[in-house]
């Protein structure tokens, strides 16, 4: 993790040892309680019943790729707060992909997507990723009557936290409708006698500011008309007689802040600490003396700070927080450029398209691409994207409307509008009052290391459990097997971390050296995986406002027509599948496709590489080993065999080896007879199924299925252990060759989706080939991603 340069400024005198406790607290938070944040790219902004939600989740910690969690939980939640679908997916190079298939009978008008890691559950649930997903074909919720009854809401936020009598300060405000969406507003501020003091008016998305100098004994009231024309009133926060005012503005050389106290407040004269932090890293600390002057101004240098939110907090000598302000620094240093070009453009029915993507960076990049029908998925102003989510909305509490707008331009107006967001939202990753009092988060959930077998053994005494271990065989559905040795503690608990498989596996087990299975038969063994069995409850307070994309009637009609045709097609297919004696026309699968379906799973299915079927291959019969068989068959793959040893290299790395999708080594590969091999798959670098992202690619060997593979497990007890959720492969038809299944009308709204695109110094250019549907005339291409340095990218084009 990067270290932000620490600036030490003493306005009156040097910082004392007492003030240095702020630094030690932040260091403790950073090292023991690091925070994770998630962004999710969806293929579309809104969906219809019967469609599939395709998503890619990106996981970061502060400004870097997270190495804390290895699993991401994604959930689809209905309007009642019920979790209707749930997926557990592995994190590879800070990315994870999943999909949710919406039923054709879906009635909800909105669904909520929630994503989190187990580690994130140790902290405030307000920072879990939650997004509302409009369902265009769902029955709209009957809340219009309720919305007409509830008035607009205006909230007031004195800069720094409090109004102090006798001191002029900035008061920010935010006006929203009952759903939480911004509304334009204007009104007046009245004193306790009902006299008008000033007028106020929103400047952007219901937000604005005004200056007010409260007087002793006064209470102020805001009066305005809501959008129904009804007059509304609300009292402003009561001013305090004691305290200080904090104000801050942006300057070219940094953040200029000022502290003010009342001239007659002798008890407020003294020393104050100014502490600024970013992502739990101390960036500035000063001691300010308000004894000789009631006003002090200073600057926090920002030259060496990255883009993000700075939290400024003012403390008294007793280390009690008195005022707080957050500021956003935009250094334009958070992104890298991804270039898109159209090599082949076809907007006609089922025409071929080829998109070229170039990444200038030579380091590893992890990206995802969505290509959709721009006629049903139009560009929406200010929609949340990877920039706004990672840098802004994931670090503050409160709903931010159109967050992408604040990264759309470097114009002064956009910067001013972003500061309104800072004035009307709070940074609450932690509370200074708590950590200064030693109240740190309670860690109930430890970081997860991929899939872990865990369990307990009952029925045996502690003496019988001394130096015991379980011997096991992990058996996958595709026939793959892996031997396991599981140490058992004296308390009967055991864990085996770092497994990686999809779907459900069987674990056959017995105690090692347990003659006649005496101990195994006596023991009661409970074995399971480490995944969370249930997500946290979802309350209405966590539901973000529902925003339906702005669509004209023609766009909406096209969307609904496509949705109905898609539903009709699925219902027709379902009925055909239930009828007996019906001949269903289908595309003839190749031998490679049949073998791939039979033997491979998860990230091993399909893939970017080469497939070799040994049956009927004379070179396979004549090869001494798997590696000698592969020599010269894969361009760029260098294999040197020296007896039972071998060296492999591909694009500067070494391929990861697998036998039946279990990570293996050269010796096991070399000792596997070619007569037992059914299929070999060679994956181009990088390969996500390998630890560390598989920068050298991978070689997966599949042995022939048969009774021999079950000989080792006869008579053993077993447990069924669910693995990662098998993900669906995105279907993109190939219209270059005729096929009977092309007779059906093509009304796909997502034309292409690829959640895992990896680039490096040897692989910086990618081509994506896809075919148009029957109705699309404009396509929308969106690429998002992250590189190994934590920089982000987003590129969008409409062709």
């Amino acid at each position: 993790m990067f270290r932000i340069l620490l600036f030490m400024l003493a306005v009156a005198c040097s910082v004392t040892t007492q003030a240095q406790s702020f630094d030690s607290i932040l260091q403790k938070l950073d090292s023991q309680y690091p925070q994770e944040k998630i962004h999710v790219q969806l293929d579309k902004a809104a969906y219809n019943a019967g469609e599939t939600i395709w998503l890619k989740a990106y996981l970061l910690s502060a400004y870097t790729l997270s190495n804390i969690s290895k699993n991401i939980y994604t959930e689809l939640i209905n309007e009642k707060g019920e979790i209707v679908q749930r997926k557990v997916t592995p994190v590879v190079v800070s990315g994870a992909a999943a999909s949710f298939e919406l039923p054709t009978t879906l009635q909800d008008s909105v669904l909520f997507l929630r994503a989190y890691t187990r580690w994130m559950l140790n902290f405030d649930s307000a920072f879990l990723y939650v997004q509302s997903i409009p369902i265009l074909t769902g029955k709209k919720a009957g809340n219009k009557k309720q919305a007409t009854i509830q008035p607009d809401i205006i909230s007031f936020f004195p800069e720094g936290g409090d109004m102090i009598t006798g001191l002029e300060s900035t008061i920010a405000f935010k006006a929203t409708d009952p759903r939480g969406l911004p509304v334009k507003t204007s009104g007046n501020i009245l004193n306790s006698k009902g006299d008008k003091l000033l007028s106020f008016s929103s400047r952007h998305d219901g937000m604005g500011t005004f200056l007010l100098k409260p007087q002793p004994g006064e209470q102020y009231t805001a009066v305005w008309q809501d959008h129904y024309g009804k007059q509304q009133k609300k009292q402003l926060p009561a001013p305090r007689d004691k305290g200080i005012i904090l104000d801050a503005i942006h300057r070219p050389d940094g953040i200029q802040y000022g502290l003010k106290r009342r001239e007659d407040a002798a008890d407020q004269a003294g020393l104050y600490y100014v502490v600024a932090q970013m992502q739990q890293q101390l960036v500035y600390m000063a001691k300010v003396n308000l004894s000789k002057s009631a006003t002090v101004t200073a600057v926090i240098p920002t030259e060496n700070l990255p883009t993000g939110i700075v939290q400024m907090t003012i403390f008294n000598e007793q280390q009690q927080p008195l005022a707080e302000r957050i500021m956003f620094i935009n250094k334009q240093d958070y992104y890298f450029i991804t270039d898109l070009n159209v090599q082949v453009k076809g907007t006609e029915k089922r025409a071929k398209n080829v998109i070229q993507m170039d990444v200038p960076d030579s380091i590893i990049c992890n990206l995802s691409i969505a290509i959709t029908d721009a006629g049903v998925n139009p560009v929406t102003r200010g929609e949340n994207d990877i920039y706004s989510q990672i840098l802004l909305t994931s670090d503050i509490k409160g709903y931010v409307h159109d967050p992408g707008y604040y990264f759309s331009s470097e114009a002064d107006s956009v910067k001013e509008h972003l500061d309104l967001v800072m004035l009307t939202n709070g940074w609450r990753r932690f509370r200074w009052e708590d950590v200064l009092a030693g109240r740190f988060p309670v860690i109930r959930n430890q970081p997860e290391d991929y899939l872990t077998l865990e369990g307990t053994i009952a029925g045996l005494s502690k003496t019988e459990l001394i130096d015991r271990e379980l011997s096991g065989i992990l058996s996958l559905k595709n026939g793959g097997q892996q031997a396991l040795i599981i140490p058992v503690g004296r308390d009967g608990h055991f864990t085996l971390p770092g497994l990686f498989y999809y779907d459900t596996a069987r674990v056959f087990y017995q105690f090692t050296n347990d003659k006649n299975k005496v101990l195994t038969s006596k023991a009661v063994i409970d074995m399971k995986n480490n995944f969370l069995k249930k997500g946290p409850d979802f309350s209405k307070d966590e539901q973000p406002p529902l925003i339906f994309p702005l669509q004209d009637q023609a766009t909406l009609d096209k969307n609904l027509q496509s949705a109905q045709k898609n539903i009709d097609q699925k219902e027709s297919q379902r009925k055909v599948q239930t009828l007996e004696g019906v001949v269903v026309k289908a595309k003839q699968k190749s031998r490679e496709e049949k073998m791939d379906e039979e033997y491979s799973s998860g990230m091993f299915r399909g893939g970017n590489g080469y497939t070799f079927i040994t049956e009927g291959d004379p070179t396979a019969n004549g090869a001494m080993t798997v590696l000698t068989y592969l020599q010269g068959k894969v361009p760029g793959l260098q294999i040197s065999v020296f007896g039972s040893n071998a060296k492999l290299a591909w694009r500067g790395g070494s391929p990861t080896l697998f036998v039946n999708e279990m990570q293996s080594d050269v010796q096991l590969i070399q000792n596997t007879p070619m007569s037992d091999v059914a299929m070999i798959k060679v994956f181009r670098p990088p390969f996500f199924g390998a630890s560390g992202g598989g920068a050298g690619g991978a070689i997966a060997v599949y042995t022939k299925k048969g009774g021999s593979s079950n000989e080792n497990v006869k008579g053993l007890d077993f447990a069924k252990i669910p693995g990662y959720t098998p993900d669906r492969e995105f279907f993109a038809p190939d219209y270059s060759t005729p096929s009977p299944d092309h007779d059906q009308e093509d009304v796909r709204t997502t034309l292409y989706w690829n959640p895992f695109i990896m680039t490096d110094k040897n692989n910086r250019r990618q081509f994506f080939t896809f075919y148009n549907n029957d109705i699309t005339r404009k396509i929308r291409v969106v690429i998002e991603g992250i590189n190994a340095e934590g920089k982000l990218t987003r590129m969008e084009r409409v062709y």
Side-chain angles (χ1 to χ4, degrees):
M1 180 178 293
F2 80 100
R3 305 298 301 181
I4 300 175
L5 180 62
L6 172 64
F7 292 95
M8 305 297 290
L9 173 64
V11 176
C13 58
S14 61
V15 179
T16 64
T17 303
Q18 183 185 21
Q20 291 173 1
S21 63
F22 298 118
D23 188 19
S24 62
I25 285 174
L26 289 171
Q27 289 182 13
K28 182 174 181 178
L29 285 170
D30 182 46
S31 61
Q32 299 183 27
Y33 307 96
Q35 303 283 300
E36 290 182 312
K37 57 182 74 175
I38 288 177
H39 167 67
V40 175
Q41 179 187 0
L42 301 176
D43 61 313
K44 298 196 301 178
Y47 295 85
N48 298 292
E51 292 185 328
T52 300
I53 298 174
W54 302 95
L55 67 90
K56 169 71 172 294
Y58 292 94
L59 179 65
L60 288 90
S61 178
Y63 297 99
T64 62
L65 309 190
S66 176
N67 59 3
I68 301 170
S69 301
K70 296 296 188 292
N71 301 321
I72 287 182
Y73 298 84
T74 50
E75 297 165 340
L76 210 56
I77 303 172
N78 65 16
E79 296 173 273
K80 299 177 182 178
E82 302 166 334
I83 299 174
V84 293
Q85 294 187 49
R86 187 167 185 260
K87 303 294 176 71
V88 186
T89 47
V91 176
V92 181
V93 194
S94 277
S99 63
F100 294 98
E101 189 168 5
L102 303 179
T104 57
T105 56
L106 183 65
Q107 297 295 309
D108 295 272
S109 63
V110 59
L111 294 172
F112 299 96
L113 176 69
R114 181 169 66 175
Y116 57 90
T117 67
R118 192 169 193 153
W119 177 254
M120 292 171 69
L121 298 182
N122 293 309
F123 311 102
D124 193 334
S125 62
F127 294 103
L128 304 184
Y129 180 92
V130 180
Q131 180 175 343
S132 59
I133 300 179
I135 306 301
L136 301 177
T137 50
K139 290 184 178 179
K140 303 301 176 280
N143 59 356
K144 292 184 179 180
K145 183 176 180 181
Q146 181 182 8
T148 60
I149 297 174
Q150 296 181 354
D152 296 339
I153 302 167
I154 297 185
S155 301
F156 295 93
F157 307 87
E159 184 176 16
D162 293 308
M163 291 191 295
I164 308 299
T165 55
L167 295 178
E168 185 179 66
S169 63
T170 298
I171 312 297
F173 63 89
K174 179 194 290 186
T176 64
D177 66 14
R179 299 172 298 168
L181 299 178
V183 292
K184 289 184 179 181
T185 191
S186 61
N188 299 315
I189 302 297
L190 311 180
N191 62 16
S192 57
K193 296 179 181 180
D195 300 328
K196 174 184 172 182
L197 299 181
L198 57 92
S199 298
F200 65 89
S201 179
S202 58
R203 300 204 304 267
H204 174 73
D205 277 351
M207 299 177 291
T209 62
F210 56 85
L211 296 175
L212 181 63
K213 186 177 182 179
Q215 299 302 314
E218 276 287 0
Q219 178 64 58
Y220 301 94
T221 303
V223 180
W224 75 95
Q225 283 189 340
D226 62 22
H227 62 279
Y228 303 111
K230 185 177 180 180
Q231 188 181 77
Q232 303 292 339
K233 294 182 178 181
K234 182 175 183 177
Q235 285 190 341
L236 272 64
R240 301 177 59 185
D241 294 327
K242 296 182 179 181
I244 61 171
I245 292 294
L246 166 66
D247 62 71
I249 59 172
H250 285 286
R251 282 186 12 175
D253 58 341
I255 298 172
Q256 177 180 298
Y257 68 91
L259 301 185
K260 292 187 292 185
R261 64 168 176 83
R262 288 170 45 177
E263 293 281 357
D264 60 350
D267 57 341
Q268 299 298 302
L271 299 177
Y272 295 87
Y273 298 108
V274 181
V275 177
Q277 66 88 24
M278 294 183 74
Q279 301 294 331
Q280 303 182 165
Q281 304 263 335
L282 185 66
V283 299
Y284 177 89
M285 185 161 57
K287 195 158 91 171
V288 177
N289 192 339
L290 290 180
S291 297
K292 297 181 179 180
S293 175
T295 303
V296 171
T297 301
V299 175
I300 299 177
T302 58
E303 179 183 1
N304 294 294
L305 300 184
T307 295
I309 295 175
V310 174
Q311 178 198 30
M312 302 166 50
T313 310
I314 312 303
F315 300 86
N316 61 16
E317 284 194 276
Q318 289 74 43
Q319 295 191 347
Q320 296 171 326
L322 304 179
E324 187 173 282
R325 172 79 148 91
I326 58 175
M327 304 281 285
F328 193 90
I329 300 173
N330 193 339
K331 306 291 283 293
Q332 301 294 326
D333 58 351
Y334 53 85
Y335 62 86
F336 63 94
I337 299 296
T338 301
D339 191 30
L340 285 177
N341 292 287
V342 178
Q343 296 298 306
V344 178
K345 181 166 64 174
T347 57
E348 298 301 317
K349 177 180 177 180
R350 304 192 180 188
K352 181 179 180 180
N353 290 268
V354 179
I355 302 291
Q356 175 185 316
M357 182 196 74
D358 291 279
V359 177
D361 296 271
S362 60
I363 60 177
I364 290 179
C365 301
N366 186 354
L367 308 102
S368 46
I369 183 172
I371 303 177
T372 56
D373 182 344
V376 297
N377 185 41
V379 177
T380 304
R381 170 189 175 273
E383 63 184 357
N384 199 21
D385 57 34
I386 194 169
Y387 298 148
S388 57
Q389 173 65 23
I390 295 300
L391 299 171
L392 177 62
T393 57
S394 62
D395 280 332
I396 58 176
K397 279 191 174 180
Y399 170 71
V400 179
H401 188 66
D402 292 343
Y405 160 75
Y406 303 105
F407 297 85
S408 63
S409 168
E410 296 183 51
D412 290 340
S413 60
V414 175
K415 296 176 183 177
E416 293 170 3
H417 296 161
L418 179 54
D419 200 49
L420 290 175
V421 176
M422 298 293 99
L423 285 165
T424 55
N425 290 272
W427 194 98
R428 284 292 182 270
R429 284 286 187 178
F430 65 87
R431 285 169 46 88
W432 275 113
E433 296 92 328
D434 291 336
V435 295
L436 285 169
R439 296 189 296 269
F440 288 87
V442 178
I443 302 301
R444 296 184 174 90
N445 295 282
Q446 296 298 324
E448 291 182 330
D449 180 14
Y450 291 121
L451 194 154
T452 297
L453 287 182
E454 58 186 23
T456 56
I457 299 175
L460 299 182
S461 66
K462 290 186 178 180
T463 303
E464 290 175 311
L465 289 171
I466 294 176
D467 296 330
R468 289 293 177 183
E469 64 181 19
L470 292 172
S471 297
I473 296 175
L474 179 68
S475 179
L476 304 181
K477 280 190 173 182
N478 66 355
Q481 292 185 356
Q482 179 179 355
L484 305 176
I485 299 296
I486 309 174
V488 178
R490 297 185 65 176
D491 59 353
H493 286 83
F494 60 86
T495 59
L496 184 66
L499 298 175
F500 195 110
Y501 63 85
Y502 291 84
D503 215 323
T504 299
R506 292 187 178 190
V507 178
F508 297 85
Y509 59 85
Q510 71 172 28
F511 281 101
T512 304
N513 299 323
D514 183 19
K515 189 175 182 181
N516 298 323
K517 297 178 61 179
V518 176
L519 286 178
T520 305
S521 301
K522 181 180 177 182
V524 177
I525 300 178
D526 177 31
M527 187 180 297
K528 57 188 178 182
N529 64 29
N530 62 312
F531 296 157
L532 283 169
K533 304 301 181 246
K534 180 181 180 297
D537 293 335
F538 186 73
S539 67
K540 289 187 176 181
D541 295 338
E542 297 178 62
Q543 297 181 3
L546 173 62
I547 303 175
F548 278 91
L550 294 177
Q551 299 182 346
D552 56 33
Q553 191 59 45
T555 300
L556 184 60
D557 290 344
K558 181 180 179 182
N559 208 321
L560 297 179
Q561 290 171 7
S562 299
Q564 189 57 53
K565 289 179 180 179
N566 179 52
I567 291 174
D568 292 342
Q569 288 179 4
K570 289 194 172 185
E571 287 298 310
S572 175
Q573 292 172 357
R574 183 184 63 80
K575 292 177 181 179
V576 167
Q577 290 172 355
T578 60
L579 296 177
E580 294 183 0
V582 175
V583 178
V584 180
K585 295 181 180 180
K587 178 183 177 181
Q588 184 68 32
K589 295 179 181 178
S590 67
R591 188 169 65 149
E592 286 78 9
E593 290 174 325
K594 291 179 180 178
M595 292 286 287
D596 198 38
E597 287 186 5
E598 181 182 358
Y599 281 86
S600 63
S601 63
M603 292 185 180
F604 291 86
R605 180 161 293 180
N608 179 23
Y610 306 85
T611 300
F612 302 97
I613 310 300
T614 59
E615 184 179 357
D617 184 351
T619 61
N621 297 329
M624 296 291 294
T625 67
V626 170
L627 296 183
T628 55
Y629 169 74
L630 288 176
Q631 283 180 318
K633 290 184 178 291
V634 178
L637 176 61
Q638 300 177 359
I639 301 176
S640 302
V641 180
F642 309 97
S644 61
N645 298 317
K647 292 181 63 177
L648 297 91
W650 203 2
R651 293 183 182 175
S654 181
T656 307
L657 304 178
F658 296 87
V659 174
N660 295 324
E661 298 182 0
M662 296 295 178
Q663 192 161 334
S664 183
D665 54 27
V666 171
Q667 282 72 28
L668 181 58
I669 293 286
Q670 289 291 74
N671 291 332
T672 301
M674 282 299 298
S675 58
D676 291 345
V677 175
M679 178 175 67
I680 303 171
K681 300 189 70 175
V682 182
F683 298 93
R684 292 188 179 93
F687 175 65
F688 296 111
S691 58
I699 298 174
V701 177
Y702 294 86
T703 58
K704 295 176 181 177
K705 294 183 178 181
S708 59
S709 62
N710 298 318
E711 293 298 323
N712 296 327
V713 298
K714 283 185 176 179
L716 295 183
D717 296 330
F718 69 89
K720 292 183 178 180
I721 310 296
Y724 290 110
T725 307
D727 197 20
R728 298 177 60 211
E729 186 175 352
F730 180 81
F731 170 73
D734 181 359
Y735 290 126
S736 62
T737 56
S739 175
D741 59 351
H742 295 169
D743 295 341
Q744 202 169 46
E745 186 177 8
D746 189 346
V747 292
R748 293 170 298 128
T749 55
T750 297
L751 305 177
Y752 184 81
W753 167 255
N754 189 340
F756 276 114
I757 307 166
M758 292 289 288
T759 64
D760 56 22
K761 62 181 180 180
N762 298 312
N763 186 32
R764 292 160 54 180
R765 172 170 291 179
Q766 297 271 351
F767 293 93
F768 309 107
T769 300
F770 65 97
Y771 291 84
N772 194 13
N773 57 21
D774 294 345
I775 55 176
T776 295
R777 293 298 175 263
K778 289 193 300 183
I779 63 170
R780 181 184 178 192
V781 183
V782 178
I783 288 181
E784 290 191 336
I786 186 171
N787 68 18
E789 293 179 343
K791 289 192 175 183
L792 314 172
T793 192
R794 176 181 170 85
M795 185 59 62
E796 181 171 350
R797 293 284 187 273
V798 175
Y799 300 108

PDB file of all heavy atoms in Angstrom, residues 477-490:
ATOM      1  N   LYS A 477     -17.149 -33.329  -9.874  1.00  0.00           N
ATOM      2  CA  LYS A 477     -18.162 -33.924 -10.740  1.00  0.00           C
ATOM      3  C   LYS A 477     -17.589 -34.357 -12.080  1.00  0.00           C
ATOM      4  O   LYS A 477     -18.086 -35.293 -12.704  1.00  0.00           O
ATOM      5  CB  LYS A 477     -19.309 -32.935 -10.957  1.00  0.00           C
ATOM      6  CG  LYS A 477     -20.295 -32.879  -9.796  1.00  0.00           C
ATOM      7  CD  LYS A 477     -21.523 -32.081 -10.163  1.00  0.00           C
ATOM      8  CE  LYS A 477     -22.571 -32.171  -9.064  1.00  0.00           C
ATOM      9  NZ  LYS A 477     -23.811 -31.436  -9.418  1.00  0.00           N
ATOM     10  N   ASN A 478     -16.537 -33.664 -12.524  1.00  0.00           N
ATOM     11  CA  ASN A 478     -15.961 -34.001 -13.830  1.00  0.00           C
ATOM     12  C   ASN A 478     -14.968 -35.156 -13.742  1.00  0.00           C
ATOM     13  O   ASN A 478     -14.301 -35.466 -14.724  1.00  0.00           O
ATOM     14  CB  ASN A 478     -15.289 -32.772 -14.435  1.00  0.00           C
ATOM     15  CG  ASN A 478     -14.076 -32.314 -13.642  1.00  0.00           C
ATOM     16  OD1 ASN A 478     -13.780 -32.860 -12.581  1.00  0.00           O
ATOM     17  ND2 ASN A 478     -13.394 -31.301 -14.135  1.00  0.00           N
ATOM     18  N   GLY A 479     -14.840 -35.743 -12.569  1.00  0.00           N
ATOM     19  CA  GLY A 479     -13.948 -36.883 -12.408  1.00  0.00           C
ATOM     20  C   GLY A 479     -12.612 -36.541 -11.810  1.00  0.00           C
ATOM     21  O   GLY A 479     -11.828 -37.441 -11.485  1.00  0.00           O
ATOM     22  N   GLY A 480     -12.307 -35.266 -11.660  1.00  0.00           N
ATOM     23  CA  GLY A 480     -11.037 -34.870 -11.066  1.00  0.00           C
ATOM     24  C   GLY A 480     -10.955 -35.250  -9.599  1.00  0.00           C
ATOM     25  O   GLY A 480     -11.948 -35.213  -8.869  1.00  0.00           O
ATOM     26  N   GLN A 481      -9.758 -35.618  -9.172  1.00  0.00           N
ATOM     27  CA  GLN A 481      -9.539 -36.011  -7.779  1.00  0.00           C
ATOM     28  C   GLN A 481      -8.252 -35.390  -7.253  1.00  0.00           C
ATOM     29  O   GLN A 481      -7.312 -35.144  -8.009  1.00  0.00           O
ATOM     30  CB  GLN A 481      -9.459 -37.540  -7.640  1.00  0.00           C
ATOM     31  CG  GLN A 481     -10.769 -38.252  -7.897  1.00  0.00           C
ATOM     32  CD  GLN A 481     -10.670 -39.738  -7.628  1.00  0.00           C
ATOM     33  OE1 GLN A 481      -9.598 -40.266  -7.318  1.00  0.00           O
ATOM     34  NE2 GLN A 481     -11.796 -40.438  -7.746  1.00  0.00           N
ATOM     35  N   GLN A 482      -8.257 -35.112  -5.964  1.00  0.00           N
ATOM     36  CA  GLN A 482      -7.062 -34.577  -5.315  1.00  0.00           C
ATOM     37  C   GLN A 482      -6.953 -35.167  -3.916  1.00  0.00           C
ATOM     38  O   GLN A 482      -7.931 -35.200  -3.169  1.00  0.00           O
ATOM     39  CB  GLN A 482      -7.136 -33.051  -5.216  1.00  0.00           C
ATOM     40  CG  GLN A 482      -5.921 -32.436  -4.520  1.00  0.00           C
ATOM     41  CD  GLN A 482      -6.013 -30.923  -4.453  1.00  0.00           C
ATOM     42  OE1 GLN A 482      -6.928 -30.331  -5.009  1.00  0.00           O
ATOM     43  NE2 GLN A 482      -5.078 -30.296  -3.768  1.00  0.00           N
ATOM     44  N   ALA A 483      -5.765 -35.649  -3.580  1.00  0.00           N
ATOM     45  CA  ALA A 483      -5.532 -36.200  -2.249  1.00  0.00           C
ATOM     46  C   ALA A 483      -5.404 -35.063  -1.239  1.00  0.00           C
ATOM     47  O   ALA A 483      -4.805 -34.019  -1.518  1.00  0.00           O
ATOM     48  CB  ALA A 483      -4.270 -37.054  -2.240  1.00  0.00           C
ATOM     49  N   LEU A 484      -5.984 -35.259  -0.064  1.00  0.00           N
ATOM     50  CA  LEU A 484      -5.968 -34.241   0.976  1.00  0.00           C
ATOM     51  C   LEU A 484      -5.402 -34.809   2.269  1.00  0.00           C
ATOM     52  O   LEU A 484      -5.679 -35.960   2.625  1.00  0.00           O
ATOM     53  CB  LEU A 484      -7.397 -33.726   1.254  1.00  0.00           C
ATOM     54  CG  LEU A 484      -8.215 -33.193   0.077  1.00  0.00           C
ATOM     55  CD1 LEU A 484      -9.620 -32.844   0.550  1.00  0.00           C
ATOM     56  CD2 LEU A 484      -7.537 -31.973  -0.525  1.00  0.00           C
ATOM     57  N   ILE A 485      -4.620 -34.003   2.956  1.00  0.00           N
ATOM     58  CA  ILE A 485      -4.182 -34.316   4.312  1.00  0.00           C
ATOM     59  C   ILE A 485      -4.653 -33.166   5.196  1.00  0.00           C
ATOM     60  O   ILE A 485      -4.265 -32.019   5.000  1.00  0.00           O
ATOM     61  CB  ILE A 485      -2.655 -34.471   4.414  1.00  0.00           C
ATOM     62  CG1 ILE A 485      -2.183 -35.618   3.522  1.00  0.00           C
ATOM     63  CG2 ILE A 485      -2.242 -34.696   5.864  1.00  0.00           C
ATOM     64  CD1 ILE A 485      -2.715 -36.977   3.955  1.00  0.00           C
ATOM     65  N   ILE A 486      -5.505 -33.476   6.184  1.00  0.00           N
ATOM     66  CA  ILE A 486      -6.140 -32.440   6.997  1.00  0.00           C
ATOM     67  C   ILE A 486      -5.733 -32.632   8.451  1.00  0.00           C
ATOM     68  O   ILE A 486      -6.197 -33.569   9.123  1.00  0.00           O
ATOM     69  CB  ILE A 486      -7.674 -32.519   6.866  1.00  0.00           C
ATOM     70  CG1 ILE A 486      -8.092 -32.546   5.388  1.00  0.00           C
ATOM     71  CG2 ILE A 486      -8.327 -31.347   7.593  1.00  0.00           C
ATOM     72  CD1 ILE A 486      -9.579 -32.776   5.175  1.00  0.00           C
ATOM     73  N   PRO A 487      -4.858 -31.764   8.980  1.00  0.00           N
ATOM     74  CA  PRO A 487      -4.473 -31.873  10.397  1.00  0.00           C
ATOM     75  C   PRO A 487      -5.668 -31.582  11.300  1.00  0.00           C
ATOM     76  O   PRO A 487      -6.497 -30.721  10.999  1.00  0.00           O
ATOM     77  CB  PRO A 487      -3.383 -30.799  10.550  1.00  0.00           C
ATOM     78  CG  PRO A 487      -2.932 -30.488   9.158  1.00  0.00           C
ATOM     79  CD  PRO A 487      -4.124 -30.703   8.291  1.00  0.00           C
ATOM     80  N   VAL A 488      -5.732 -32.299  12.420  1.00  0.00           N
ATOM     81  CA  VAL A 488      -6.820 -32.148  13.376  1.00  0.00           C
ATOM     82  C   VAL A 488      -6.256 -31.652  14.697  1.00  0.00           C
ATOM     83  O   VAL A 488      -5.266 -32.188  15.215  1.00  0.00           O
ATOM     84  CB  VAL A 488      -7.563 -33.484  13.588  1.00  0.00           C
ATOM     85  CG1 VAL A 488      -8.667 -33.325  14.628  1.00  0.00           C
ATOM     86  CG2 VAL A 488      -8.142 -33.979  12.269  1.00  0.00           C
ATOM     87  N   GLY A 489      -6.863 -30.593  15.245  1.00  0.00           N
ATOM     88  CA  GLY A 489      -6.433 -30.068  16.531  1.00  0.00           C
ATOM     89  C   GLY A 489      -6.909 -30.923  17.685  1.00  0.00           C
ATOM     90  O   GLY A 489      -7.802 -31.765  17.541  1.00  0.00           O
ATOM     91  N   ARG A 490      -6.336 -30.694  18.857  1.00  0.00           N
ATOM     92  CA  ARG A 490      -6.700 -31.487  20.033  1.00  0.00           C
ATOM     93  C   ARG A 490      -8.129 -31.210  20.486  1.00  0.00           C
ATOM     94  O   ARG A 490      -8.716 -31.993  21.227  1.00  0.00           O
ATOM     95  CB  ARG A 490      -5.729 -31.206  21.177  1.00  0.00           C
ATOM     96  CG  ARG A 490      -4.304 -31.624  20.850  1.00  0.00           C
ATOM     97  CD  ARG A 490      -3.381 -31.460  22.041  1.00  0.00           C
ATOM     98  NE  ARG A 490      -3.734 -32.348  23.147  1.00  0.00           N
ATOM     99  CZ  ARG A 490      -3.019 -32.448  24.271  1.00  0.00           C
ATOM    100  NH1 ARG A 490      -1.920 -31.706  24.415  1.00  0.00           N
ATOM    101  NH2 ARG A 490      -3.403 -33.262  25.233  1.00  0.00           N
TER     102      ARG A 490
END
